[in-house]
Amino acid sequence: MPKIDLYRNVHMGQRARLFTLAIDLGAADISQSGAATELAHRCLAMTQELREHADHEDTFIHQLLRERAPEAADALDAEHIRLDAAFAALDERARALPDTPVEALPDAQHALYLALSEVISAYLSHLHLEETVAMPALWEYAGDEELSVVLAAFRSSRTPEQALTDLRRMLPALPPAPRAAIVRGVVETTPDQAAGTLVAVSATLSPDQRERLYDDLGVPEVWALQGARRA
């Protein structure tokens, strides 16, 4: 049975969306109507999400880490200073972008891009520390039962809408096998709504990813689509 990893899947989703945001921000035609507002909103939404994610980790994971491996917890706490500063700088530039004069927009766009790059740099370092220091410490000093309790507590704290959002953010970044295992577990919790659930959780997958998921689950895609229409 695979080890319980409290970080891996969600972090893969975060990396993918941070990289996508950086590419989109760097390549955007800022002269287009509404482009500055949209990009600013996406940056602010990202920092809000990352702050909320940190709060979740503090609530459900890092209390246990502080009890069992305080040195690892201290290392994570120290990184929050750089992260908080990077988030604040990105937010400031994002909020200012929509009101920037047209002639200054290209420079403001690039400054926002650099601020996002600093967030990504700081955040990647933080994720690496959690995955290579914190998680191994939890494997060493906390048993599977305790980690299962942590995971269950987090999941029970999420509304159905929040849980669906979590999956939609995460699944496109995962390899086929773990993606199928996660979706299979979700579908099995609502057998009377299996088709609709499958459509809902796979909404952010690419066509190729969705086709592979349905193949791995052993169900035809037309079945799910018909089931969603009936639901």
Side-chain angles (χ1 to χ4, degrees):
M1 182 177 178
K3 292 180 178 180
I4 296 173
D5 194 321
L6 302 175
Y7 297 111
R8 178 174 177 169
N9 291 340
V10 65
H11 285 179
M12 290 181 72
Q14 289 177 341
R15 286 185 177 96
R17 286 179 297 104
L18 281 166
F19 298 156
T20 297
L21 178 56
I23 293 169
D24 292 348
L25 175 58
D29 182 355
I30 199 68
S31 67
Q32 292 294 309
S33 177
T37 298
E38 179 189 358
L39 292 169
H41 174 76
R42 288 180 63 185
C43 289
L44 291 169
M46 180 60 72
T47 55
Q48 179 180 347
E49 177 193 334
L50 297 182
R51 288 186 178 101
E52 290 174 354
H53 173 72
D55 289 342
H56 297 154
E57 289 181 334
D58 284 342
T59 300
F60 297 100
I61 302 175
H62 295 163
Q63 181 177 347
L64 178 62
L65 186 67
R66 290 185 181 97
E67 293 174 357
R68 304 302 175 82
E71 291 184 1
D74 289 344
L76 292 179
D77 290 341
E79 291 218 335
H80 284 163
I81 297 173
R82 181 187 176 193
L83 279 174
D84 290 344
F87 290 160
L90 179 60
D91 286 349
E92 182 179 1
R93 290 196 177 277
R95 292 191 182 100
L97 187 69
D99 297 324
T100 301
V102 173
E103 64 275 11
L105 270 175
D107 286 341
Q109 176 186 7
H110 189 65
L112 183 61
Y113 176 81
L114 294 179
L116 175 60
S117 297
E118 171 60 20
V119 165
I120 292 173
S121 175
Y123 202 68
L124 290 180
S125 176
H126 182 70
L127 297 186
H128 185 72
L129 185 63
E130 287 181 332
E131 293 168 354
T132 63
V133 176
M135 196 64 242
L138 288 170
W139 284 330
E140 182 174 359
Y141 299 113
D144 285 347
E145 183 175 347
E146 289 177 295
L147 298 181
S148 296
V149 169
V150 167
L151 195 56
F154 169 72
R155 287 174 175 170
S156 67
S157 76
R158 307 295 279 167
T159 67
E161 293 77 14
Q162 289 171 331
L164 179 59
T165 297
D166 293 341
L167 288 169
R168 286 175 167 175
R169 287 171 172 170
M170 177 176 64
L171 291 176
L174 302 185
R179 181 191 301 133
I182 291 170
V183 173
R184 185 179 292 108
V186 172
V187 169
E188 289 175 350
T189 64
T190 57
D192 56 331
Q193 303 174 18
T197 299
L198 183 53
V199 170
V201 300
S202 62
T204 52
L205 300 180
S206 70
D208 287 345
Q209 288 177 326
R210 188 164 53 248
E211 181 179 0
R212 173 61 186 271
L213 173 65
Y214 284 33
D215 285 345
D216 289 342
L217 295 177
V219 297
E221 188 165 356
V222 65
W223 167 83
L225 294 176
Q226 291 172 346
R229 294 190 189 103
R230 291 195 298 268

